[in-house]
Amino acid sequence: MAKKLPADERRAQILAAALTIAAERGVDALTMRPLAAAAGVSAGIVHYHYHDKDTLLTHLGETQILQVNDGMRLAFEGHTEPSGLTGIPALVDLLRAGIRGLWPIIEATPSHQLLTYEITAHALRQRSVGNHSAGAIAERQYRTMDAETVAFLDLCASRAGVVWVTPVDRVARFALACMNGVVLRWLVDRDSDGALTALDDLAAIITTKAR
């Protein structure tokens, strides 16, 4: 019999097991009985906390969002001091350092990166059949990443002494779209040197949107 735990601890325990299963074997492998076995609880307890798979995936997606959010913040906050440069050269330096700062996190967690794409695709499929509650997880995922990226871009511009001539929310949207493509390509070919070169090119392109 599973040890009695407070509800929030039990949910966290089940989610941790769900994250392990989904990251290792994909979303399709995340079914209730294997999850219960992995979490060391009964299937009834899993159903009590997460009524169905869509509910579970919604919460799992929220957990992924928080992890991505924390990773972006950690990477960006560590690379916002210009190294004796000003203006556009300083902006290039800051952007390159911040974007590259994300790479060790991405490279160390390929299964979690893939899971992020899987959860997004699942949410969008649910939205297409009318399940807007489950589908909202994709929208929240991107809103959260947008907010972190806008904050980083604004800080870099301020430290470099430049202004964005393109609205910064559009710059963030463009940057994230490009980064998603780079990460997905890396998941296919695992060419880290090629990915880093592409990210450096992205930093250079972004600076054309400032003066």
Side-chain angles (χ1 to χ4, degrees):
M1 181 180 293
K3 178 182 177 183
K4 186 173 179 60
L5 293 174
D8 57 345
E9 291 184 28
R10 181 66 75 198
R11 283 192 292 270
Q13 175 192 15
I14 295 169
L15 271 182
L19 181 58
T20 298
I21 292 172
E24 291 178 355
R25 291 183 274 159
V27 168
D28 288 344
L30 191 58
T31 56
M32 291 301 182
R33 289 192 180 280
L35 173 57
V41 299
S42 69
I45 289 177
V46 174
H47 280 286
Y48 175 77
H49 290 287
Y50 301 101
H51 304 302
D52 53 32
K53 184 172 180 175
D54 286 337
T55 302
L56 176 63
L57 284 174
T58 297
H59 286 273
L60 189 60
E62 289 173 350
T63 299
Q64 285 288 94
I65 289 170
L66 293 175
Q67 291 181 352
V68 170
N69 185 33
D70 289 345
M72 291 177 71
R73 186 174 298 160
L74 179 64
F76 291 161
E77 285 179 352
H79 300 88
T80 53
E81 293 295 335
S83 54
L85 301 171
T86 59
I88 296 300
L91 182 63
V92 173
D93 187 61
L94 289 167
L95 290 173
R96 182 181 291 118
I99 292 171
R100 274 181 168 253
L102 275 174
W103 194 252
I105 299 170
I106 292 168
E107 199 170 35
T109 57
S111 60
H112 287 258
Q113 303 306 318
L114 181 57
L115 179 59
T116 299
Y117 289 104
E118 284 193 82
I119 290 175
T120 302
H122 177 84
L124 294 176
R125 287 194 187 98
Q126 289 298 305
R127 188 177 69 180
S128 71
V129 296
N131 187 347
H132 296 289
S133 177
I137 192 64
E139 297 167 14
R140 185 179 168 207
Q141 179 184 22
Y142 277 78
R143 282 199 304 270
T144 301
M145 291 190 295
D146 283 347
E148 287 300 321
T149 305
V150 165
F152 168 66
L153 292 172
D154 276 340
L155 182 57
C156 286
S158 175
R159 295 281 169 84
V162 303
V163 295
W164 295 107
V165 293
T166 300
V168 68
D169 59 325
R170 294 184 188 176
V171 180
R173 183 186 180 99
F174 169 76
L176 285 170
C178 292
M179 288 189 68
N180 279 337
V182 170
V183 173
L184 189 56
R185 177 61 187 256
W186 176 79
L187 287 170
V188 173
D189 61 25
R190 301 302 170 96
D191 180 0
S192 292
D193 289 340
L196 288 170
T197 297
L199 293 177
D200 287 346
D201 290 343
L202 173 60
I205 293 169
I206 292 172
T207 60
T208 66
K209 302 177 186 297
R211 62 173 170 80

